[in-house]
Amino acid sequence: EIVMTQSPLSLPVTPGEPASISCRSSQSLLDSVDGNIYLDWYLQKPGQSPQLLIYALSYRASGVPDRFSGSGSGTDFTLKISRVEAEDVGVYYCMQRNEFPVTFGPGTRVDIK
Amino acid sequence: QVRLQESGPGLVKPSETLSLTCSVSGGTISSYSWTWIRQPAGKGLEWIGRIFASGSIEYNPSLRARVSMSLDKTKIQFSLRLTSVTAADSAVYYCARDTPYLLWGQGTRVTVSS
């Protein structure tokens, strides 16, 4: 199975400042047939179910603020928050669905400094 | 507005079978794929498997020997069975629709203990 890693695992942030989370996969997530990269980002706020932020590398899910953006290629991916807000705290997970079984990264805990 | 709701016993004895149901309201189950994901307390997410509206199923190889899923289109729900449970199966179990997972249930906590 594809192993997903994330860094850092903990990220203290200052409101108004940018933040970045890295995710790496043990194999390329580039689909050779359609050229898409099936890498998604989820945020799990305290006490809640995970919520979809970014899908297929860089597409924001409906209702997700444009301060969130996803990028990357092959095996290295980044989630960026242009200006962190207090409501952005929680655990961020990257997830690959390019190959069966679907696998998640270990999560990055984001909290306010 | 489509909603997912997990239900089932919160406590299961070791070696017994865990059975959960995800009820879909406000929509049909005759499209999409339907997934189970779990999260042990304080830990990350583990994909258990998914069932397609067509009836085809994919299980995580790590659980394949113990897991089964089914779909009930008349009741608009899908189910998870996990046999021979141990304490390691204690987790919050989520159901979700399709990929990417835009729609999740609220989760149901299952504890395996005698």
Side-chain angles (χ1 to χ4, degrees), chain A residues 1 40 42 44 47-52 54-56 61-62 93 95 97 100-106 109, chain B residues 6 37 39 42-47 50 58-62 64 94 98-102 104-107:
Chain A
E1 70 178 40
D40 306 328
Y42 295 84
Q44 187 173 32
Q48 296 185 17
S49 304
Q51 60 186 81
L52 178 66
I54 303 288
Y55 66 95
S62 177
Y93 294 94
M95 183 197 88
R97 52 187 171 94
F100 167 85
V102 168
T103 48
F104 293 88
R109 183 173 300 276
Chain B
E6 305 90 346
I37 291 166
Q39 184 173 38
K43 296 189 178 180
L45 300 162
E46 180 181 27
W47 187 84
R50 65 176 172 178
E58 295 175 340
Y59 298 132
N60 191 320
S62 67
R64 181 178 290 138
Y94 295 100
D98 215 12
T99 55
Y101 301 121
L102 183 60
W104 294 67
Q106 67 183 30

